[in-house]
Amino acid sequence: MTDSSYSSQRIGLDYMLRHEKVSFSDRDILIIDSIGSFSRISTTMEMDMVLVIICDKGKLQLDHNGSSLSLAVNDMMICPPGVKLDNILSSPDFHAIMFGFTYEMFQKTICSTNDIWSLLLYATRNPVFKLSDHDMELARTYLRIVKLKMEAERDFFFNEIMHALMKTVFYEMCVIINREIKPGESDEELGQSNQIFKKFIEAIANSGCRERSVAYFAQKLCISPKYLSFITRSVSGKPALEWILEYCTDGIAHELKYSDKTIKEISNEFNFPTISSFGKFVKKRLGMSPREYRMKNR
C-alpha cells in the first residue's frame, strides 16, 4: 500500500483528458483507449468519477482501498467516486475496455430515476466481477457501435446519442452487479450517511428544481441544514447547495435548448421571483444570458 506520506491524486475527467488516450469525451462521459500513465503514478489515486475497467487481454494488479486485487481476462472492475487505488502494475500485453462517467452524470441522470445508489456502494466493497463470454461480446459490441458513431459525421444530436449509448453501458454494468447481490445485501451495506445522501438526491430530483434552499431539503429529511451539508460533503465531496444548483442549472439548460416556452415561462417554472434574477442565475451558471444560450444551442 502507498506510504501515508504520499499525496492523493484526484482522478476525474480533467485528469483523463490531460494524461490518457481518450477516444471520446464531453463534460460527462469518456471512452479510454489504454491505461496509459496510470501505472506511472506514485501517489494514491482517488477516483472523482465512476471508472469501469474491463480486462480484454493480459493482467492488471493494484491495491483497491487498501486491498490487493488482480484483473484477468473477462474481469470487470468498477471504481466509484472516493475509491483509492495504489501500486498499479500491468502486464506488457494488458488491454482493457474502459468507460468513465462523471459523478454528476451518475447522480443527476441515473440516480434521479433509478434506485441504484446501493449498487455502486456494493461495488465499492466488491469491485471485481467475472463476466461471461456473452457479457464480453456485449461490451465489445457497444464499443464498436460507439466507435462507428464517432467516425461518422457529427450531426446535431451527436452528444445526445452518445449519452444514450453510454447510459445503456452503465445500465448493463448495473445488471451485472445486481446478479451478484443476495436479496437485502445491498441495503444492509448502505450506511446512514449514504442513506441520507441518497434521499437528498431523490428529493432534489422530485422537487422539479423549484426549490434552491438547503434548509428546504433539510426540513424534508427532518435534519438540520448544517448536518445535511456535513453529510453531503463527507459522502460526495461537494456541498449540498452545489448539488441543488447543478440540478437546477441542468433543468434550465434543457428547457432553453429543447422547449418552446418563453424565457418568462421558464423563469416562472423554476420559481424565480423575477426575470432579472433568472437571467443573473443563468449568466452565472451557464456563462451567458438565457436568450444567448438558447440561440447558441439551436
Side-chain angles (χ1 to χ4, degrees):
M1 197 159 67
T2 301
D3 187 274
S4 60
S5 64
Y6 284 2
S7 61
S8 178
Q9 171 68 59
R10 300 280 288 183
I11 304 297
L13 184 67
D14 290 340
Y15 176 89
M16 292 294 190
L17 290 174
R18 291 196 308 269
H19 296 89
E20 302 302 325
K21 295 180 180 178
V22 176
S23 295
F24 170 80
S25 72
D26 66 1
R27 68 188 185 94
D28 287 317
I29 59 178
L30 53 79
I31 302 166
I32 309 161
D33 282 335
S34 70
I35 202 162
S37 63
F38 267 29
S39 59
R40 297 194 295 273
I41 298 178
S42 60
T43 61
T44 297
M45 295 169 54
E46 183 175 355
M47 290 295 107
D48 198 25
M49 62 190 298
V50 180
L51 183 65
V52 182
I53 302 175
I54 303 173
C55 183
D56 197 31
K57 188 178 180 182
K59 292 183 179 180
L60 179 70
Q61 183 177 319
L62 49 78
D63 292 345
H64 178 286
N65 280 351
S67 299
S68 295
L69 296 177
S70 60
L71 270 70
V73 176
N74 283 33
D75 282 344
M76 176 178 74
M77 184 176 72
I78 301 170
C79 301
V83 165
K84 294 180 174 62
L85 305 179
D86 296 281
N87 302 328
I88 300 172
L89 297 171
S90 59
S91 62
D93 61 340
F94 176 76
H95 182 266
I97 302 169
M98 288 187 278
F99 302 100
F101 310 85
T102 64
Y103 201 12
E104 289 76 12
M105 178 186 174
F106 166 64
Q107 291 295 341
K108 293 181 292 190
T109 309
I110 299 173
C111 274
S112 61
T113 56
N114 296 273
D115 187 17
I116 60 172
W117 174 253
S118 55
L119 295 183
L120 264 290
L121 185 66
Y122 179 87
T124 301
R125 293 158 169 66
N126 307 274
V128 179
F129 301 83
K130 178 63 72 174
L131 305 189
S132 66
D133 290 338
H134 177 72
D135 293 331
M136 288 297 293
E137 186 55 36
L138 270 178
R140 295 187 186 101
T141 300
Y142 284 128
L143 187 61
R144 283 197 296 270
I145 293 171
V146 168
K147 285 185 175 181
L148 281 172
K149 184 61 185 175
M150 288 190 297
E151 291 168 0
E153 183 178 351
R154 300 198 174 190
D155 54 28
F156 181 73
F157 291 106
F158 177 79
N159 283 338
E160 287 79 1
I161 292 170
M162 292 297 294
H163 272 247
L165 287 170
M166 295 302 287
K167 283 173 67 176
T168 302
V169 170
F170 194 98
Y171 286 129
E172 292 283 8
M173 180 191 77
C174 291
V175 168
I176 293 169
I177 298 173
N178 194 56
R179 267 192 235 145
E180 304 293 322
I181 301 177
K182 299 174 183 177
E185 186 175 0
S186 62
D187 291 334
E188 292 173 4
E189 291 198 347
L190 198 59
Q192 183 182 13
S193 295
N194 288 285
Q195 286 280 11
I196 292 172
F197 180 66
K198 175 174 171 283
K199 289 178 181 178
F200 170 57
I201 294 298
E202 290 171 348
I204 300 174
N206 293 333
S207 73
C209 303
R210 292 179 59 83
E211 300 293 339
R212 292 177 293 281
S213 159
V214 175
Y216 171 85
F217 292 102
Q219 185 178 19
K220 294 276 287 185
L221 298 175
C222 301
I223 58 178
S224 71
K226 185 176 181 180
Y227 185 59
L228 176 58
S229 295
F230 170 77
I231 289 294
T232 304
R233 189 180 287 277
S234 64
V235 171
S236 71
K238 291 197 302 187
L241 181 60
E242 185 58 28
W243 280 112
I244 296 168
L245 296 182
E246 283 187 359
Y247 266 81
C248 183
T249 303
D250 280 3
I252 290 171
H254 185 273
E255 290 298 321
L256 288 172
K257 186 173 182 179
Y258 295 109
S259 80
D260 292 323
K261 299 171 187 173
T262 66
I263 303 297
K264 181 175 176 57
E265 287 173 336
I266 297 173
S267 173
N268 291 337
E269 183 177 323
F270 286 89
N271 204 26
F272 282 85
T274 64
I275 292 183
S276 176
S277 63
F278 176 70
K280 289 178 181 178
F281 179 89
V282 173
K283 177 78 172 179
K284 183 176 180 180
R285 301 293 301 187
L286 295 176
M288 60 190 76
S289 72
R291 190 175 302 278
E292 288 171 338
Y293 185 84
R294 170 167 275 179
M295 291 178 64
K296 180 180 178 181
N297 287 280
R298 288 191 172 186

